[in-house]
Structure formats: C-alpha cells, structure tokens
Amino acid sequence: MKRGFSFSVTVVVSAIVFIYFCTVFVFIDRWFGLMTSPGIMNAIAFTGVAFMCVLNYAYAILADPGRVPSSFMPDIEDTEVPIHEIKRKGGDLRFCQKCSCFKPPRAHHCRVCKRCILRMDHHCNWINNCVGHANYKVFFVFVVYAVIACIYSLILLVGSLMNDSQNDKQHSADTFRVAYVISGLLLVPLSVALSVLLGWHIYLILQNKTTIEYHEGVRAMWLAEKGGTVYKHPYDLGAYENLTTVLGPSIFCWICPFSRHIGNGLRFRTAYDRVSTSSTSK
C-alpha cells in the first residue's frame, strides 16, 4: 500500500517530541532535578511510556491492516460457518464491485485506501492508515500508552508549577513560560480526547464490535424492534472472551504490540458456534 507524506502524522510526531522534551527537561528537572533519585526514576518511567507509545504508533502506521486474498470465496455449504453476511438489499453474498472480490465477514471497502480491509474499524487520518484486523490491537495499545503519557506529563507540569511557586522561583519560571503554556494547551485537550477515545474502544472490545458494526447495529436494533424481535450482535461471546479474542489469551500480553492470536481474519467465532456445538453434542 503506497502512502506519501502525511501532515497529520507530522503533527502527531511533532507533538510527541515537544511534550517528551518539555516533560523530561523542564517539568521533571525543575520539580525534582534530573540528577536526583526521584528525577531519574520519573525520567526513566516517562521515557519507557513514551517509547512504548512511539513503538505502537509506528507499528499502527506501517502495518497492513488486513488485505482480502484475491482467491477468497465464501463457502455457503461449510457447516463450520453458521452465518454468512449478506447485502441489505437482495440478500446476496457481499461482493465488492470496486475490488472485484467477495467480502469476508466484517470486511469493508475503504474509499481512502481504495481496497477492502479485513475487520475494518475505521480509517484514521492520524496514522494515515486504516484500523483493521491486523493492526487494531496495536492501535488500541497506542491509545492506552498515549493516555498514560498525557496524564503523567500533565501531573508533572502541575507539580512543577506548584513547586516553583512554593520555592519563589516565579522569576526563573518566566523563562519557561512558553513551554508551560504550549504544553498545557496540548495536554489538557489531548488527555480528554484520548480518554474518551480509549473509553469508546474499551466499550467496543467488550462488545466485540468495530465502529462500523456499532453503527450497523443501531440500525439492526431499530429494525428488530420494529419487527417485534430482539437483535444480538453475532460476534459477542461475552465480555472476557471478547477481551481475549481482541487482545490475546494472556492478560500479560494485553499491553504488548503482539497479535499472533488473531488468525487470518477470514473467519471469526460467533455466538452461534456455541449453539451449533451444544446441539451437536446432544
């Protein structure tokens, strides 16, 4: 997938670099002193969080979100696949006219990337890439570390300002006024926006939904209520199983940028798998 220069990515990288240097060389230095034990510990801790944030951000940008194989063909006679996604109109199997291929379950065509993406969540301008099957976890982990870094930096900013005022260093603090003001203007809205984004994706993971599936589900619920039935998201396996499906089987790997557990993205476990398994065992 060819991608050129991205202004949005440049803005994000510039913000990360600016906040990191202000946090370590201004906030921590002026509060604790970089050569003291608390200063060294805070500098190492913040550097570790910033490193993981940058690592996951880079991977989210560079990773292919999930390409639909040209040879993919849905098998309607496969008894191990209890459901097949169909078009809203006509009831045919989903076929992408632009890519000239069938769409696997949960795949959608991205107008920006100009191809179908496996388990597509959304196209994110801030990573200049789609968020899909292969890079959803690393995108989520990036947001987690970004929230931690922003709140951590904001606490250090406030602590540094309070320390200056208590020690009558207001005159020397004026030298760093620009750094404090710009950092505050960046960190406050970023902390709020990223926390909301994190909360939203935690909700989606617990429901085993993508952003697209959430909006489709709202319509499906309305149609189900209109028809006197109850709609249930077919990929909802329960909160814990949803977590392990997206983030991994072990809690220790949930905040690591590894996704070896996700499979090929062409087939996903559904709530109907349990029904078919239990009926078979009987």
Side-chain angles (χ1 to χ4, degrees), residues 31-276:
W31 189 0
F32 303 106
L34 274 179
M35 294 298 105
T36 64
S37 295
I40 293 173
M41 289 177 61
N42 277 280
I44 292 174
F46 187 79
T47 299
V49 173
F51 173 77
M52 291 301 295
C53 185
V54 171
L55 178 66
N56 284 276
Y57 183 63
Y59 190 86
I61 293 173
L62 299 174
D64 191 304
R67 184 179 297 274
V68 178
S70 57
S71 60
F72 173 76
M73 180 70 67
D75 186 0
I76 59 174
E77 296 182 356
D78 187 356
T79 57
E80 294 184 0
V81 182
I83 60 171
H84 290 277
E85 294 183 358
I86 59 175
K87 294 180 179 179
R88 292 177 185 172
K89 296 180 180 179
D92 297 326
L93 291 172
R94 299 191 310 144
F95 185 85
C96 181
Q97 299 292 342
K98 297 178 180 178
C99 296
S100 299
C101 66
F102 284 98
K103 293 181 182 179
R106 314 182 81 175
H108 295 274
H109 186 87
C110 176
R111 290 176 293 179
V112 180
C113 296
K114 297 180 180 179
R115 65 183 178 92
C116 288
I117 305 296
L118 295 174
R119 195 187 179 274
M120 180 177 172
D121 187 89
H122 68 287
H123 184 90
C124 180
N125 289 326
W126 298 109
I127 66 172
N128 192 32
N129 198 3
C130 264
V131 178
H133 176 68
N135 67 344
Y136 179 83
K137 179 190 172 180
V138 77
F139 171 80
F140 175 78
V141 175
F142 158 67
V143 176
V144 171
Y145 281 112
V147 169
I148 295 172
C150 285
I151 295 175
Y152 193 178
S153 181
L154 195 57
I155 292 172
L156 291 171
L157 183 154
V158 174
S160 176
L161 284 174
M162 292 178 64
N163 183 66
D164 284 344
S165 62
Q166 290 175 359
N167 295 332
D168 297 325
K169 295 182 180 178
Q170 193 61 43
H171 177 69
S172 60
D174 290 343
T175 308
F176 301 97
R177 185 184 299 275
V178 174
Y180 280 113
V181 171
I182 296 177
S183 297
L185 291 175
L186 284 173
L187 288 170
V188 173
L190 275 177
S191 298
V192 174
L194 288 172
S195 296
V196 172
L197 181 64
L198 177 61
W200 168 247
H201 280 282
I202 289 174
Y203 165 78
L204 290 177
I205 290 174
L206 290 174
Q207 301 288 321
N208 201 357
K209 293 179 180 179
T210 64
T211 300
I212 294 174
E213 288 169 351
Y214 169 81
H215 293 292
E216 290 179 341
V218 171
R219 173 180 169 81
M221 288 177 63
W222 177 77
L223 291 173
E225 290 179 4
K226 192 175 180 181
T229 59
V230 178
Y231 170 77
K232 178 176 173 58
H233 182 56
Y235 301 103
D236 186 0
L237 306 173
Y240 181 73
E241 288 198 45
N242 291 340
L243 278 170
T244 57
T245 298
V246 177
L247 300 180
S250 171
I251 191 172
F252 298 106
C253 69
W254 286 3
I255 56 173
C256 299
F258 304 115
S259 304
R260 298 174 182 175
H261 63 283
I262 58 176
N264 59 14
L266 300 177
R267 185 186 185 279
F268 298 90
R269 291 173 58 202
T270 70
Y272 300 101
D273 291 340
R274 296 177 176 179
V275 176
S276 59

Side-chain angles (χ1 to χ4, degrees), residues 13 26 57:
V13 172
V26 179
Y57 183 63

